[in-house]
Amino acid sequence: MSKIFISEKTYDNHEERFAYQQAKILNTYMSEYRHYYQAIFVDGRLELNDKTLPVLPAYSSTIIGKNFSNNNDFKISVKTVSDNARNQLNNADALELEAIEKYKNNPDLKETFKKIEKRDGDYYLYTSVLKIKESCLVCHSSRDSAPAFIAKKYSGAFGYKLNDVRGVVSVKIPTKHIGEFFNIQKKISLAFDFIAFILLSGLLFVTYRILNNYNRELEKDINIKTNDIQMALNELRDNKKELIKSVSTDALTGLDNRAKFIVDLENRKNPSLAIFDIDGFSDINDFYGHEMGDYILKELGKNIKLLVYKKAFIYRYASDKFVLLADDVDRNYFLSLVESILHEADIYVYSFEDLKASIKLSVAVSFESKEYIIQSADMILKELKKRNLNFLIYDKTLGIEDEIKNNIVWNKKVKDALREDRIINYYQPIYNNRTKKIEKYESLVRMVDVDGTIISPYKFLDIAKKSKQYTSITKKVIENTFEKFKDVDVEFSINITMEDISNIEINSLLDFRMSDKRFNSRVVYEIVESEGLEGVDNVYEFIRKAKHNSCRIAIDDFGTGYSNFEYLIKLHPDYIKIDGSMIKNIIINQDSEEVVKIIIDFARKQNLKTIAEFVSSKEIHDKVVELGIDYSQGYYIGEPKSELVGDIDI
């Protein structure tokens, strides 16, 4: 009986520890899920509206949690709840409210775990605090600053500040189903004990027979059966170990996985972290095949593990990313480990069947606190890609957070400007140096800020491209331009990028506008030469269709970047716009003048008209006229304005 009593107590402890571990894993998953999908909306990759609202974590996590509870064997419930929920399905119950209040009163408290006894069934309740982060403030600070959709749809859950308690991740694990699982384990254990008892009795009996009868055949038979039983017991133990290992192990590399890394990080006091990313790994898969890609991942993981054995821990973090984690070590020592991994990867050649390949690694390093270390390392990994580096250590002085905040602010400015019709056009005159008249205008985009300030495109176009709003801006510019010149008999030009040329919506809009015969022979598409047009078949098709619609073509910024006279001949443009970087230096730099002369000579032989950009002074204009350039454009001729200037005296 004492054996049974000890087993009961032992299994009760196992049951509680098992419940806690499951809750921690589910909490990590739910937190990562919320962070990823929340970022999609905050970054503007997905616009928040009635159609996309169900994807928002506050809604989708409730449905996912409910389905998960109904479909898992343990009937575990996982959800995010609040004492001030916008989605009524996320309202906290009495015990969850008690936990929220406890977090508010204890700022350093991170989680709670206890067993709840109820008439309808006991369960373990685990909670983890959800606090307001910078990204949360977009929708939860003040109603006035919230996105228009949120401000209109909700009247509550505003007024939060950074690090305020928003709610908790709640995990409820019924003891009944865990008890059933451990009862099976208990029965197996008792069966083991019983078998061992029978086996011992049998062995004593055999020993007695051997001592008395010297029956060697009986001894042999017992030994065989004993081995069979022992092998069966070992197999059961191994299966149990494999089941536990599979939860925390990457199937391909055999390394600990991301879930194990998250748990281990929580137990570190002073962590050092490095995220290694294989440069161009998708190209390796495309060129060599996925078998070669898998082989590289396995070999790289094995090599790193050997290099850092007993010095740090290595995990497979994502598809082509590995994480190195150490605790309470000297920074220089940790960086030496990182450098040894980079060096090994740089010289190692991966040979698989008849294929050979080498790789390059990029690495982001962070020594921040464990609460911020993953986020900071992820940010620095993106930053080093942007800067074309392969090694970068997180430092607040890099200003990455400021850049992210700035992107969020400008993303909202662009979105609001589009919605409130504050994307406008300015028009810069182009002067014919022979007729001495303004004969053309270039249409340029501007944004009007809420206070009436006119904002240059250099401030917002890159953000618009990143946030998928560039096409909407281009369409607005096209519409504004055609409306402006529909009753003005003058030539006008619109800037067209490679992205516009490849966009079906932009092409359809241009075709529709050019179906109006009033615009015949008056429209010029300025294609930016510095973007690199060579070898792009759809550029030829775009130009062919434009000329069919009686449009003209100008190659913008010629003389920089990808300048190629042979390719220019293939495009058959009507105008060459000589880049301003050469025109503005033409009176002080002989090299600039010589290059401009070459372009002018080429244009004359090809019967192309030339336009000088950045003509900012009388001296530059006189030089442009002297060299025989057909048109001048710049602040000396006229600044971009919302209205057309008409004739001017130069």
Side-chain angles (χ1 to χ4, degrees):
M1 288 300 293
S2 62
K3 171 68 174 175
I4 295 174
F5 176 76
I6 292 171
S7 296
E8 288 286 348
K9 184 175 181 181
T10 301
Y11 277 99
D12 283 345
N13 291 336
H14 286 330
E15 178 182 317
E16 182 171 331
R17 187 161 60 251
F18 177 80
Y20 175 73
Q21 290 172 344
Q22 299 305 305
K24 287 280 286 185
I25 292 171
L26 289 170
N27 170 64
T28 299
Y29 170 79
M30 182 61 75
S31 298
E32 288 296 311
Y33 164 79
R34 281 173 55 84
H35 171 73
Y36 177 79
Y37 281 95
Q38 186 183 55
I40 290 178
F41 285 100
V42 171
D43 294 346
R45 287 174 279 169
L46 189 63
E47 183 176 356
L48 186 59
N49 53 44
D50 286 325
K51 290 184 179 180
T52 60
L53 185 62
V55 183
L56 198 67
Y59 279 79
S60 56
S61 62
T62 303
I63 305 302
I64 293 171
K66 181 179 179 182
N67 292 340
F68 175 77
S69 178
N70 292 335
N71 293 316
N72 72 81
D73 292 338
F74 293 111
K75 302 302 179 186
I76 299 173
S77 165
V78 56
K79 59 182 180 177
T80 58
V81 297
S82 174
D83 56 349
N84 187 18
R86 286 174 175 167
N87 181 358
Q88 296 306 309
L89 296 176
N90 292 337
N91 282 330
D93 62 23
L95 290 171
E96 291 163 341
L97 287 172
E98 180 184 318
I100 291 172
E101 193 62 30
K102 184 178 292 186
Y103 288 122
K104 289 181 178 180
N105 295 329
N106 298 275
D108 295 330
L109 186 62
K110 298 293 188 298
E111 63 180 8
T112 65
F113 180 76
K114 63 180 178 179
K115 186 175 182 180
I116 307 299
E117 296 181 353
K118 292 283 188 179
R119 288 184 179 180
D120 54 351
D122 299 346
Y123 62 89
Y124 292 101
L125 174 63
Y126 172 91
T127 69
S128 173
V129 66
L130 293 174
K131 291 188 177 182
I132 293 292
K133 299 180 179 179
E134 288 283 355
S135 58
C136 303
L137 292 175
V138 174
C139 296
H140 288 288
S141 57
S142 69
R143 191 172 184 179
D144 292 339
S145 64
F149 176 82
I150 293 293
K152 181 179 179 181
K153 189 171 184 68
Y154 300 108
S155 60
F158 295 108
Y160 282 93
K161 300 186 293 296
L162 192 65
N163 291 323
D164 279 356
V165 175
R166 176 73 182 109
V168 296
V169 175
S170 171
V171 183
K172 295 179 180 178
I173 306 178
T175 59
K176 174 185 176 183
H177 302 288
I178 297 181
E180 291 174 353
F181 172 77
F182 277 93
N183 280 337
I184 294 172
Q185 300 297 313
K186 196 184 305 180
K187 290 176 182 177
I188 293 174
S189 178
L190 291 173
F192 288 164
D193 292 342
F194 180 73
I195 291 171
F197 174 75
I198 295 298
L199 183 60
L200 181 60
S201 299
L203 288 173
L204 290 173
F205 175 73
V206 170
T207 303
Y208 173 78
R209 291 292 303 270
I210 291 172
L211 291 174
N212 289 276
N213 303 314
Y214 302 99
N215 193 337
R216 295 185 181 276
E217 288 299 321
L218 182 59
E219 179 184 10
K220 181 180 179 181
D221 186 51
I222 291 296
N223 285 337
I224 292 173
K225 293 187 181 298
T226 301
N227 288 334
D228 290 343
I229 293 172
Q230 186 62 49
M231 288 176 64
L233 291 174
N234 290 338
E235 185 176 355
L236 283 173
R237 292 192 185 97
D238 290 342
N239 288 341
K240 185 176 180 180
K241 290 179 181 178
E242 285 299 317
L243 181 62
I244 295 172
K245 184 179 179 182
S246 65
V247 176
S248 59
T249 304
D250 176 60
L252 177 65
T253 63
L255 299 174
D256 288 340
N257 60 19
R258 182 188 177 97
K260 183 65 162 56
F261 161 65
I262 298 297
V263 173
D264 288 352
L265 180 61
E266 284 296 318
N267 297 323
R268 299 296 185 266
K269 293 181 180 179
N270 185 26
S272 301
L273 177 68
I275 301 179
F276 293 89
D277 184 20
I278 303 176
D279 296 340
F281 185 69
S282 60
D283 293 335
I284 293 174
N285 276 330
D286 292 341
F287 187 77
Y288 293 101
H290 287 276
E291 288 187 355
M292 180 63 163
D294 289 348
Y295 174 76
I296 289 174
L297 291 172
K298 289 188 286 187
E299 284 295 297
L300 177 60
K302 183 175 68 176
N303 291 346
I304 296 176
K305 189 173 183 179
L306 288 173
L307 283 170
V308 303
Y309 181 64
K310 291 186 177 181
K311 302 171 187 174
F313 298 92
I314 185 71
Y315 307 82
R316 188 180 179 197
Y317 186 63
S319 60
D320 59 347
K321 295 180 178 65
F322 294 83
V323 161
L324 184 69
L325 176 66
D327 189 32
D328 212 16
V329 298
D330 178 72
R331 291 191 177 190
N332 290 330
Y333 174 74
F334 185 76
L335 291 175
S336 70
L337 290 179
V338 171
E339 289 174 359
S340 67
I341 293 170
L342 289 176
H343 176 71
E344 175 68 17
D346 196 42
I347 63 174
Y348 194 85
V349 177
Y350 295 87
S351 300
F352 178 73
E353 296 181 349
D354 296 329
L355 302 173
K356 293 183 182 296
S358 299
I359 64 169
K360 292 284 186 181
L361 294 178
S362 296
V363 58
V365 178
S366 177
F367 298 105
E368 296 298 301
S369 65
K370 65 182 179 182
E371 291 80 13
Y372 188 59
I373 197 166
I374 297 177
Q375 183 181 350
S376 59
D378 281 335
M379 284 194 299
I380 210 70
L381 187 63
K382 294 175 184 176
E383 184 69 16
L384 68 85
K385 295 287 185 183
K386 188 191 304 181
R387 300 187 184 192
N388 199 27
L389 303 173
N390 74 331
F391 184 97
L392 200 57
I393 301 173
Y394 176 80
D395 190 330
K396 287 185 173 63
T397 60
L398 292 171
I400 299 173
E401 290 91 343
D402 293 337
E403 182 179 346
I404 292 172
K405 290 177 185 177
N406 184 64
N407 288 346
I408 293 172
V409 169
W410 279 99
N411 175 35
K412 185 177 184 301
K413 279 180 177 286
V414 173
K415 187 178 296 184
D416 291 345
L418 282 167
R419 186 180 65 252
E420 297 167 9
D421 200 23
R422 289 189 282 105
I423 298 297
I424 65 170
N425 290 38
Y426 268 31
Y427 307 95
Q428 187 169 34
I430 301 176
Y431 183 78
N432 188 318
N433 293 327
R434 289 178 172 78
T435 66
K436 313 298 183 185
K437 292 182 179 180
I438 300 296
E439 293 187 356
K440 313 174 192 297
Y441 291 89
E442 180 179 358
S443 181
L444 302 166
V445 67
R446 297 289 188 270
M447 184 170 79
V448 183
D449 210 344
V450 289
D451 62 357
T453 303
I454 303 300
I455 301 174
S456 166
Y458 299 110
K459 291 271 191 175
F460 62 86
L461 273 189
D462 283 343
I463 297 296
K465 289 180 179 180
K466 292 176 183 177
S467 59
K468 310 299 181 185
Q469 299 181 98
Y470 177 76
T471 297
S472 297
I473 291 177
T474 302
K475 289 164 68 176
K476 186 65 178 173
V477 169
I478 292 171
E479 293 285 11
N480 289 346
T481 304
F482 277 92
E483 282 299 308
K484 184 71 174 179
F485 290 98
K486 66 181 180 181
D487 297 318
V488 182
D489 188 17
V490 67
E491 191 173 280
F492 59 91
S493 61
I494 301 172
N495 287 289
I496 299 295
T497 66
M498 281 297 299
E499 185 173 336
D500 299 327
I501 289 173
S502 304
N503 189 288
I504 296 174
E505 291 182 60
I506 299 299
N507 278 267
S508 298
L509 178 58
L510 291 172
D511 289 343
F512 170 74
R513 279 299 191 171
M514 288 308 301
S515 65
D516 187 339
K517 301 305 179 184
R518 288 180 295 177
F519 298 111
N520 279 5
S521 303
R522 292 204 292 124
V523 180
V524 179
Y525 296 145
E526 292 193 14
I527 302 176
V528 182
E529 190 271 342
S530 61
E531 290 194 348
L533 309 173
E534 189 165 357
V536 184
D537 293 337
N538 56 353
V539 176
Y540 294 115
E541 176 58 23
F542 178 84
I543 292 175
R544 185 198 65 75
K545 187 167 62 173
K547 294 204 169 189
H548 177 75
N549 288 333
S550 301
C551 299
R552 293 186 173 91
I553 299 296
I555 301 302
D556 199 9
D557 297 336
F558 191 79
T560 61
Y562 299 85
S563 298
N564 186 318
F565 287 107
E566 179 184 357
Y567 180 62
L568 194 62
I569 294 172
K570 296 177 184 178
L571 292 178
H572 301 294
D574 301 283
Y575 302 101
I576 296 176
K577 299 193 74 172
I578 304 173
D579 186 68
S581 63
M582 288 184 292
I583 296 298
K584 68 182 181 181
N585 294 320
I586 199 169
I587 59 176
I588 59 173
N589 187 305
Q590 186 64 36
D591 291 337
S592 294
E593 182 178 344
E594 292 302 321
V595 172
V596 170
K597 286 179 179 179
I598 293 171
I599 296 173
I600 295 169
D601 183 60
F602 170 81
R604 284 174 181 162
K605 290 177 181 178
Q606 298 299 320
N607 198 28
L608 307 177
K609 298 295 184 183
T610 50
I611 302 173
E613 298 183 293
F614 279 71
V615 178
S616 57
S617 68
K618 183 179 185 305
E619 291 78 14
I620 293 176
H621 176 64
D622 291 344
K623 189 67 175 180
V624 164
V625 173
E626 176 190 325
L627 292 174
I629 297 176
D630 299 297
Y631 296 90
S632 293
Q633 179 181 356
Y635 273 42
Y636 177 69
I637 305 300
E639 298 181 15
K641 295 183 178 179
S642 59
E643 298 300 329
L644 307 182
V645 298
D647 289 333
I648 58 174
D649 294 326
I650 301 297

